[in-house]
């Protein structure tokens, strides 16, 4: 790492690992309940597991984005982080809010709106915490020696994400209006500004890993985020088909939702093209794997599977079924989880001076978790399509249909076992890197890290 | 070849135009929502019901307007589908209606809370959702089955309570739940007195009955007994 303050990222990444592990545990609780083994009902009813699973995801991804920003921004701005101590305080506060929220779920403290389950007082604390984070990286960029497009895109992604949290706080007795604003947060995050964050991190990784000219990488970054907003903003309409809003949303959401995959397709082509163009054989090949893999899997999960049920005539039947869970899992994994795991894989050797990416478990973690997740997606797909056919087309009763599709959740559990073992290997690899080392400050590239190590051995 | 400044302009102009259009459409939508959702019908009970809906994290298992989780039934039109008595019984004791099946947490709601939730669900069912939930277009059409003597099954109308409560677990003419036995031909298998006793309290007839005691009025029981006694055809005696 070039600057000493970049190592705050380590603690954010470590938090990610912890929360990701916990998220998977809650996922298993739900999968077993769906398969007919709701053994923890008295302690952790399904809805508690569900809220915990979703919110852990949101918190660990945000944590990962913050860690990524703390690692990337000092280097891009060419100066130390403005207030490194504040970054630790801010992480501590975020973890405290997260723990309170999760503990609250288990004793029935909710504001049960899908994805925004954390109660109102904690919402305000999240806003304050994120503002501290924005101020820290904003000031670092402002007083930095240079402002790059990559850092600007990353910053505005994070800044807009904070801003877009606010519509979710609008209070209304009308469920339709409630849902309308909720999607300003959820959709405009994951199919809007989070893609800026994804694009920013991806562009940084491509710059570092492929050695392609900055001018070229950043030009195409603009084109891709341009497509994201061109389709994604009005694409919010695909959530406004059936919630009590005017019929014209079927047209707007249908048309713009249908072109949303183009942004993801662009991202996949971009990553593959840059990796080929660069031709540099970066020693951290596993980081390249995660980076290019992320771009491809986000197209498959978010782009292709999103398209599969975005058209209103399809969505009429799939809306509110397990088909959504099928798309959701691969989309979040491909687009957001993988980019966080990618930046972690890239940053760890630079912070710790170890080369654990050479261990066989590093590449194996990538393949196992991805094959596991694809298998999970297939299990959800079979369950979802069966549910749509039996319940929505044939008109069978909900409870009867759920019994029919229990068997597909056995498949899901098997696939999830594979996925979890991949993630476990990743976490093991993370742990084996150890803690950041101060002696590496000033070493920006792998080759410089090696020089530092040689000097250390000699002295 | 595309320059970086042209790429930036594409991003900025595209984003600005789409954002403006989105804000404009939002303003228009909020002008139309009151009519489409009958917002004048949002009484204090409905508003309290919504608060309770969120505080209980109902969306953690159910969907409303198709939004939520996929562990428990879609509830937008449940008021019409199951009727208030079924919902009341379910909210009072979640194991009242589907004993031994997928379980719901017991929230120990008081009577006022139950009425508030009912008001909320009644309001949600009246919102114009552009055709959601969809009608099951491939549903087999129930055809009256000819009896041994060639006569078709009774044409007596199904009581509303039958369509709301009984079909949750029992099928008739191939439609309905599969948790209990199908009711085709039940009038041949059971006499009116048995049906009356059974509907009054299944456990008084058979101690280990899987069917719960339903919240039925004496009038509803009579109506159901009359209907069920007429079901002489179909099924196995």
């Amino acid at each position: 790492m070039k600057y000493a303050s970049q190592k705050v990222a380590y603690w954010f990444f470590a938090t990610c690992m912890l929360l990701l592990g916990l998220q998977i545990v809650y996922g298993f609780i739900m999968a077993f309940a769906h398969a007919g083994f709701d053994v923890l009902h008295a302690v952790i009813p399904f809805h508690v597991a569900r809220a915990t699973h979703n919110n852990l995801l949101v918190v660990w991804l945000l944590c990962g984005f913050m860690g990524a920003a703390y690692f990337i921004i000092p280097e891009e701005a060419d100066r130390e982080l403005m207030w490194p101590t504040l970054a630790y305080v801010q992480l501590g506060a975020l973890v405290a809010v997260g723990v309170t929220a999760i503990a609250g779920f288990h004793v029935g403290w909710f504001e049960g709106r899908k994805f925004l389950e954390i109660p109102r007082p904690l919402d305000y604390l999240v806003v304050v915490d994120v503002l501290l984070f924005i101020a820290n990286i904003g000031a670092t960029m402002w007083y930095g020696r240079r402002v790059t497009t990559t850092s600007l895109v990353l910053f505005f992604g994070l800044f807009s994400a904070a801003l877009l949290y606010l519509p979710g706080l609008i209070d209304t007795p009308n469920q339709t209006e409630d849902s309308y604003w909720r999607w300003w947060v959820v959709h405009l995050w994951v199919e809007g500004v989070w893609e800026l964050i994804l694009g920013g991190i991806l562009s940084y990784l491509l710059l570092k890993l492929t050695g392609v000219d900055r001018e070229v990488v950043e030009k195409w970054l603009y084109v891709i985020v341009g497509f994201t907003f061109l389709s994604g903003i009005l694409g919010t309409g695909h959530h406004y088909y059936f919630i009590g809003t005017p019929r014209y949303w079927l047209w707007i959401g249908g048309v713009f939702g249908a072109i949303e995959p183009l942004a993801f397709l662009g991202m996949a082509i971009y990553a593959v093209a840059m990796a080929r163009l660069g031709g540099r054989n970066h020693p951290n090949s596993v980081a390249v794997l995660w980076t290019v893999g992320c771009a491809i899997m986000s197209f498959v999960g978010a782009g292709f599977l999103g398209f599969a049920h975005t058209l209103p005539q399809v969505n009429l039947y799939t809306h509110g079924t397990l088909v959504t869970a099928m798309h959701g899992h691969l989309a979040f994994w491909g687009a957001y989880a993988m980019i966080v795991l990618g930046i972690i894989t890239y940053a760890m050797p630079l912070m710790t001076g170890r080369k654990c990416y050479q261990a066989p478990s590093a590449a194996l973690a990538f393949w196992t978790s991805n094959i596991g997740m694809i298998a999970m997606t297939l299990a959800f797909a079979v369950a979802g399509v069966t549910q749509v056919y039996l319940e929505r087309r044939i008109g069978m009763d909900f409870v009867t249909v759920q019994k029919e599709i229990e068997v597909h959740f056995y498949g899901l559990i098997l696939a999830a076992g594979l996925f979890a073992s991949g993630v476990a290997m990743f976490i093991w690899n993370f742990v084996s890197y150890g803690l950041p080392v101060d002696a590496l400050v000033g070493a920006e590239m792998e080759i410089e890290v090696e020089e530092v190590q040689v000097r250390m051995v000699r002295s | 070849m595309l320059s970086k400044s042209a790429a930036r302009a594409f991003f900025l102009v595209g984003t600005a135009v789409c954002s403006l259009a989105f804000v404009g459409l939002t303003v228009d939508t909020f002008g139309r929502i009151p009519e489409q959702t009958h917002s004048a019908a949002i009484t204090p009970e409905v508003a309290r019901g919504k608060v309770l809906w969120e505080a209980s994290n109902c969306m953690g298992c159910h969907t409303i307007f198709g939004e939520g989780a996929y562990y428990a039934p879609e509830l937008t039109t449940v008021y019409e589908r199951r009727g208030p008595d079924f919902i009341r019984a379910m909210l009072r004791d979640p194991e009242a209606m589907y004993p031994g099946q997928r379980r719901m947490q017991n929230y120990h709601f008081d009577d006022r809370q139950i009425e508030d939730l009912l008001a909320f669900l009644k309001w949600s069912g009246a919102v114009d959702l552009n055709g959601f939930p969809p009608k099951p277009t491939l549903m087999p059409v129930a055809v009256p089955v000819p009896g041994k003597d060639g006569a078709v099954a009774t044409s007596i109308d199904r009581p509303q309570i039958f369509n709301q409560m009984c079909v949750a677990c029992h099928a008739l003419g191939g439609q309905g739940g599969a948790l209990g036995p199908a009711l085709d031909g039940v009038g041949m298998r059971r006499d009116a007195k048995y049906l009356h006793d059974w509907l009054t309290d299944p456990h008084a007839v058979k101690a280990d009955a899987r069917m719960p005691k339903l919240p039925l009025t004496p009038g509803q029981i009579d109506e159901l007994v009359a209907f069920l006694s007429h079901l002489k055809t179909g099924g196995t005696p």
Side-chain angles (χ1 to χ4, degrees), chain A residues 30 33-34 38-39 41 45-48 50-51 108 110-114 117 149 172-184 188 196 214-215 218-220 222-223 225-227 229-230 233-234 236-237 239-250 252 256 315-317 319-322 324-325 387 389 391-395 397-400 402-403 406, chain B residues 1-4 7-8 10-11 14-15 18-19 21-30 32-34 36-39 42 46-47 50 53-61 63-74 82 95 98 100-107 120 123 127-140 167-169 176-179:
Chain A
M30 286 193 284
H34 261 289
D38 189 10
V39 284
H41 178 79
F46 186 88
H47 71 100
V48 172
R50 156 95 182 189
F110 284 108
E111 185 192 299
R113 300 154 72 223
K114 191 179 180 182
E117 284 93 347
T149 300
T172 159
N174 189 321
Q175 180 66 24
T176 297
E177 292 179 3
D178 193 300
S179 187
Y180 193 94
W181 293 124
R182 202 169 55 78
W183 288 116
W184 273 49
L188 290 178
L196 288 194
R214 184 179 281 273
E215 201 62 17
E218 295 187 338
K219 175 176 79 182
W220 290 107
Y222 269 131
V223 174
V225 294
F227 268 112
F229 279 163
L230 209 58
I233 295 174
L234 289 170
T236 315
H239 299 287
Y240 296 160
Y241 296 158
F242 310 119
I243 63 163
T245 41
R247 201 165 259 281
Y248 56 65
W249 285 111
L250 270 68
I252 298 167
F256 286 89
N315 195 254
L316 176 65
Y317 293 100
H319 181 52
T321 66
L322 289 160
T324 313
Q387 182 194 7
Y389 186 76
E391 191 187 327
R392 296 285 172 82
R393 303 287 280 182
I394 304 280
D397 188 66
F398 178 89
V399 182
T400 314
Q402 291 295 309
K403 278 191 131 34
E406 266 177 11
Chain B
M1 189 61 192
L2 182 78
S3 70
K4 190 172 170 183
R8 182 165 50 220
F10 164 73
F11 165 64
T15 304
C18 288
S19 302
F22 189 52
V23 170
L25 285 164
T26 298
V27 172
D28 182 77
T29 296
F30 273 75
R32 294 165 195 257
I33 284 178
Q36 193 167 349
T37 64
H38 314 288
S39 63
I42 300 178
V46 175
K50 176 174 175 285
W53 169 270
E54 285 165 9
S56 312
N57 197 29
C58 303
M59 267 179 152
C61 294
T63 47
I64 187 161
F65 298 172
E67 297 178 339
Y70 321 116
Y71 191 64
E74 158 55 57
R82 295 284 180 241
E95 296 203 38
Y98 300 103
Q101 300 300 315
R102 190 172 281 185
R103 283 184 293 175
M104 170 172 152
Q105 183 183 334
N106 192 340
Y107 288 91
F120 174 65
W123 169 82
V127 175
D128 174 5
L129 297 181
N130 301 333
F132 186 84
K135 294 269 172 290
T137 40
L138 303 180
M139 182 152 84
V167 295
C169 296
L179 299 179

Side-chain angles (χ1 to χ4, degrees), chain A residues 238 257-258 261 299-319 323-324 326-327 381 385:
Chain A
H238 65 204
F299 168 65
V300 178
F304 179 73
L305 292 181
F307 180 78
H309 74 142
T310 191
L311 294 175
Q313 53 271 53
V314 177
N315 195 254
L316 176 65
Y317 293 100
T318 59
H319 181 52
V323 170
T324 313
M326 174 258 320
H327 157 58
V385 171

Side-chain angles (χ1 to χ4, degrees), chain B residues 72-86:
Chain B
E74 158 55 57
L75 294 183
T76 310
T77 54
V78 71
Y79 190 90
E80 184 200 346
R81 191 167 73 240
R82 295 284 180 241
D85 290 329
F86 185 105

Side-chain angles (χ1 to χ4, degrees), chain A residues 114-136:
Chain A
K114 191 179 180 182
F115 296 122
L116 306 179
E117 284 93 347
I118 71 167
R120 193 51 56 93
L122 295 181
D123 283 331
Y124 297 124
L125 291 177
V126 169
V127 172
V128 172
D129 194 78
V130 172
L131 287 178
L132 289 178
F133 161 73
I134 298 286
N136 206 349

Side-chain angles (χ1 to χ4, degrees), chain A residues 143-167:
Chain A
Y143 293 105
R145 267 192 279 258
R146 58 174 190 172
V147 178
T148 63
T149 300
T150 299
S151 62
L152 269 181
V153 168
L154 183 59
F155 177 78
F156 279 106
L158 292 159
F159 179 76
S160 322
L163 209 62
L164 282 167
Y165 196 64
L166 302 178

